[in-house]
């Protein structure tokens, strides 16, 4: 049996479901039962993917030697995104407590405020591969938006293409579905339903566009509608960007190959 521990931000729900849809019957998916799994459960059920919910305490007892490949998915809360130091503390603590039960660990995060850049070397001592999301050039992605562009250079190019003083607020399908919560966490506004105040904050911050990053995934059914409403609500010009699941896909299959030999 080979086992992989996936520690992920909720923002990667879609990419994870897409990966599991492509797996075969030899892969067994275990989902750590916590307050962050409601969204991904709905999507897994919608596409009829089998999974089991387990408690964090039951991990060891659920790893069956007769299984060929077991993935344990541990989703962490959005709120960590607002505090890079707290995010690092939680991710590191999670790996410290559970990582050695597995053959490998994949962290579905990017640099996230430059706090996770040394995670692979920091956990070299536990004797299993610990990996973080990187593009095909070996660069750790900045964040979930960067990952959705497929590589870091495309992300930088998208931002560099902006006119001076004209910022773009990027929305992936999951960012769009949760934009109000993300604005509050980013401390852009305490009340995203107050359109006038939120628009004033956007204007002050230099945002003039909304960038729709289409990853090709359709688990979030209202993506198009939300982006259109967002653009209308804040008087933004809509810009379209071709996204990709390449980073998530390649990082997952790379560590799977690494630990299965």
């Amino acid at each position: 049996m080979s086992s992989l521990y996936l520690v992920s931000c909720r923002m990667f729900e879609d990419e994870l479901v897409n990966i599991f849809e492509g797996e075969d019957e030899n892969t067994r998916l275990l989902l750590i039962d916590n307050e962050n799994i409601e969204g991904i459960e709905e999507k897994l059920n919608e596409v009829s993917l089998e999974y089991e919910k387990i408690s964090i305490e039951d991990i060891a007892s659920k790893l069956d030697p007769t299984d060929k490949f077991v993935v344990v998915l541990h989703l962490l809360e959005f709120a960590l995104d607002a505090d890079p130091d707290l995010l690092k503390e939680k991710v590191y603590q999670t790996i410290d407590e559970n990582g050695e039960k597995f053959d490998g660990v994949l962290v579905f995060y990017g640099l996230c405020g430059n706090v996770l850049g040394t995670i692979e070397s920091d956990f070299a001592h536990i004797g299993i591969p610990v990996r973080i999301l990187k593009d095909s050039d070996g660069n750790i992605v900045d964040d979930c938006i960067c990952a959705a562009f497929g590589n870091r250079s495309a992300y930088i190019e998208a931002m560099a293409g902006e006119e001076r003083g004209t910022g773009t607020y990027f929305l992936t399908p999951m960012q769009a579905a949760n934009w109000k919560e993300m604005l509050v966490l980013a401390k852009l506004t305490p009340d995203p339903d107050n359109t006038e105040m939120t628009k004033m904050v956007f204007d002050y911050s230099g945002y003039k566009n909304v960038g729709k990053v289409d990853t090709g995934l359709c688990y979030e059914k209202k993506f198009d509608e939300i982006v259109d409403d967002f653009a209308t609500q804040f008087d933004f010009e809509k810009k379209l960007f071709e996204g990709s699941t390449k980073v998530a896909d390649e990082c997952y299959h790379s560590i799977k190959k690494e630990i299965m030999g």
Side-chain angles (χ1 to χ4, degrees), residues 16-28:
L16 289 164
V17 175
N18 183 57
I19 285 170
F20 300 138
E21 271 206 279
E23 286 288 51
D24 58 28
E25 67 276 2
N26 292 318
T27 298
R28 181 170 165 233

Side-chain angles (χ1 to χ4, degrees), residues 61-73:
S61 65
K62 291 291 183 177
L63 297 178
D64 188 338
T66 63
D67 288 321
K68 187 167 184 181
F69 184 55
V70 179
V71 180
V72 174
L73 174 58

Side-chain angles (χ1 to χ4, degrees), residues 14-15 18 144-145 147-150 171-174 212-219 223 241-246 249:
D14 291 1
E15 287 82 356
N18 183 57
C144 59
I145 301 291
F149 270 91
L171 292 176
T172 63
M174 273 294 287
K212 178 183 178 184
V213 188
D214 190 350
T215 57
L217 302 179
C218 54
Y219 304 111
F223 182 39
F241 296 92
E242 184 178 349
S244 167
T245 62
K246 184 179 177 182
D249 295 344

Side-chain angles (χ1 to χ4, degrees), residues 8-115:
S8 176
C9 176
R10 269 195 61 206
M11 200 55 76
F12 287 103
E13 276 179 13
D14 291 1
E15 287 82 356
L16 289 164
V17 175
N18 183 57
I19 285 170
F20 300 138
E21 271 206 279
E23 286 288 51
D24 58 28
E25 67 276 2
N26 292 318
T27 298
R28 181 170 165 233
L29 175 60
L30 304 178
L31 192 59
I32 298 296
D33 192 3
N34 61 25
E35 66 278 9
N36 306 308
I37 65 170
E38 182 180 350
I40 198 166
E41 270 201 281
E42 287 181 6
K43 292 167 186 174
L44 290 169
N45 292 335
E46 190 175 289
V47 296
S48 302
L49 276 174
E50 290 188 11
Y51 64 95
E52 301 166 59
K53 287 194 288 188
I54 64 169
S55 70
I56 195 76
E57 294 79 17
D58 289 342
I59 288 178
S61 65
K62 291 291 183 177
L63 297 178
D64 188 338
T66 63
D67 288 321
K68 187 167 184 181
F69 184 55
V70 179
V71 180
V72 174
L73 174 58
H74 193 161
L75 287 179
L76 303 183
E77 59 269 28
F78 279 147
L80 297 173
D81 294 359
D83 187 335
D85 292 329
L86 182 62
L87 186 152
K88 179 179 180 178
E89 181 183 331
K90 182 65 179 282
V91 170
Y92 273 54
Q93 179 187 353
T94 301
I95 298 173
D96 272 328
E97 291 175 353
N98 306 302
E100 290 181 282
K101 300 174 179 134
F102 300 89
D103 298 311
V105 177
L106 177 56
V107 178
F108 260 64
Y109 280 95
L111 291 170
C112 298
N114 290 321
V115 296

Side-chain angles (χ1 to χ4, degrees), residues 114-216:
N114 290 321
V115 296
L116 296 178
T118 59
I119 194 168
E120 294 188 359
S121 57
D122 288 343
F123 282 99
H125 65 278
I126 69 174
I128 60 169
V130 175
R131 304 289 179 252
I132 191 169
L133 294 180
K134 297 177 180 175
D135 65 17
S136 55
D137 295 321
N139 301 306
I140 299 176
V141 297
D142 292 51
D143 49 31
C144 59
I145 301 291
C146 182
F149 270 91
N151 62 66
R152 196 162 183 268
S153 60
Y155 178 54
I156 291 171
E157 184 180 328
M159 292 192 296
E162 297 167 356
E163 298 173 19
R164 185 177 178 84
T166 304
T168 298
Y169 193 85
F170 293 103
L171 292 176
T172 63
M174 273 294 287
Q175 284 277 354
N178 300 280
W179 71 265
K180 291 184 179 181
E181 185 177 352
M182 302 316 293
L183 284 184
V184 173
L185 287 173
K187 296 182 172 61
L188 276 173
T189 176
D191 182 10
D193 289 318
N194 186 332
T195 301
E196 188 177 342
M197 181 181 69
T198 305
K199 187 177 186 316
M200 193 164 60
V201 173
F202 273 137
D203 287 343
Y204 180 78
S205 303
Y207 288 111
K208 303 292 183 188
N209 311 306
V210 57
K212 178 183 178 184
V213 188
D214 190 350
T215 57

Side-chain angles (χ1 to χ4, degrees), residues 173 176-177 218-229:
C218 54
Y219 304 111
E220 289 293 341
K221 309 299 184 191
K222 296 185 177 179
F223 182 39
D224 295 344
E225 178 185 331
I226 292 172
V227 174
D228 289 344
D229 288 347

